[in-house]
Amino acid sequence: MWTLARWQLRQVNYLNWVMVVCVIGWSLFTSEPISFMHGATMASAIFVHAALIVLILGSSSTSGAGFIYSQGFSRDQIWWSQALALLMSAAMPCVAFLLTVGTGLRGIIQGAFENPWFPLLGSSELSELKWMLLAYAAVFSTLSYIWIRARQPSKDAAAGWMLAVAQTAFFIYCWTWMRFAPPWLCSVLVGTTLLLIATTTLALWKFHQSVEVQA
């Protein structure tokens, strides 16, 4: 499993490190208080990062992926290695954010710039980490569903697109309205989002067992 996951990660290592550098720079030099829900910068970066990773790792029609499928690994082993690679790809920028904010490095840099928000903010911005993780999970599950449906023997790719568009619209709705919604509504929206992510992930696992592969 780890061998497969490392093989998957090698294909997207450069993307992950570019994202880590961007997160560190954004975390250290953003003068305004960091708020994932009230700013589109990090949300957009996460979407682009996740979309490119899915595009690279999700293509079962490439020669590299075909080689993996021809080496005797079970479909479950390959799927879980891909899931682990996605998880580690999401963890890298999140850990970078955790270190720059949690260690106080952001506060030191902004204090040197005489930012009036510091040291008042301290490490309170760490709470934004949960939204980053949720965004990665939503984007990975939604976009992965498109390519897995496109590679089914039935060729019913349209169903994947339709569901992905519907989920994306719902996630955008949540991101827009959770900034102003009361706590109980936020809990409902987050719970619904987690349920959609879990359901889509289970569907991905099931569909992957019959995915068409070009060896």
Side-chain angles (χ1 to χ4, degrees):
M1 186 70 69
W2 283 105
T3 300
L4 280 174
R6 286 197 300 269
W7 188 89
Q8 305 275 9
L9 278 172
R10 279 202 298 268
Q11 301 177 76
V12 294
N13 255 339
Y14 64 95
L15 281 176
N16 292 336
W17 284 112
V18 167
M19 185 63 176
V20 166
V21 171
C22 290
V23 168
I24 291 175
W26 177 74
S27 301
L28 291 181
F29 299 107
T30 298
S31 59
E32 296 296 321
I34 294 176
S35 175
F36 184 86
M37 300 303 297
H38 289 82
T41 302
M42 186 48 58
S44 301
I46 287 175
F47 178 83
V48 172
H49 181 221
L52 290 175
I53 289 175
V54 169
L55 182 64
I56 294 173
L57 296 186
S59 179
S60 60
S61 60
T62 62
S63 59
F67 171 78
I68 287 295
Y69 281 88
S70 67
Q71 296 306 299
F73 298 108
S74 71
R75 292 297 180 93
D76 280 348
Q77 287 176 320
I78 296 174
W79 190 87
W80 283 107
S81 70
Q82 289 178 345
L84 185 58
L86 291 177
L87 177 63
M88 296 177 70
S89 296
M92 288 179 64
C94 291
V95 170
F97 178 81
L98 176 67
L99 292 177
T100 53
V101 176
T103 60
L105 183 59
R106 167 170 163 76
I108 293 174
I109 296 294
Q110 291 301 313
F113 290 153
E114 299 182 353
N115 188 333
W117 289 102
F118 291 90
L120 181 62
L121 280 176
S123 59
S124 62
E125 294 167 317
L126 281 177
S127 61
E128 301 303 310
L129 188 61
K130 63 180 181 292
W131 301 117
M132 294 175 63
L133 292 170
L134 185 63
Y136 268 113
V139 176
F140 278 147
S141 62
T142 303
L143 296 185
S144 296
Y145 191 81
I146 297 174
W147 65 256
I148 200 72
R149 287 300 297 265
R151 286 161 180 79
Q152 295 305 303
S154 62
K155 295 296 184 182
D156 187 17
W161 278 104
M162 290 174 63
L163 181 60
V165 168
Q167 286 194 181
T168 301
F170 176 76
F171 294 148
I172 293 175
Y173 169 83
C174 292
W175 182 76
T176 302
W177 288 102
M178 282 176 64
R179 291 175 285 180
F180 316 105
W184 69 268
L185 182 55
C186 287
S187 299
V188 171
L189 293 176
V190 170
T192 305
T193 298
L194 291 174
L195 180 61
L196 285 173
I197 291 171
T199 303
T200 306
T201 303
L202 288 174
L204 286 169
W205 183 20
K206 179 66 176 178
F207 289 146
H208 185 263
Q209 296 174 0
S210 58
V211 66
E212 289 188 346
V213 181
Q214 178 180 327

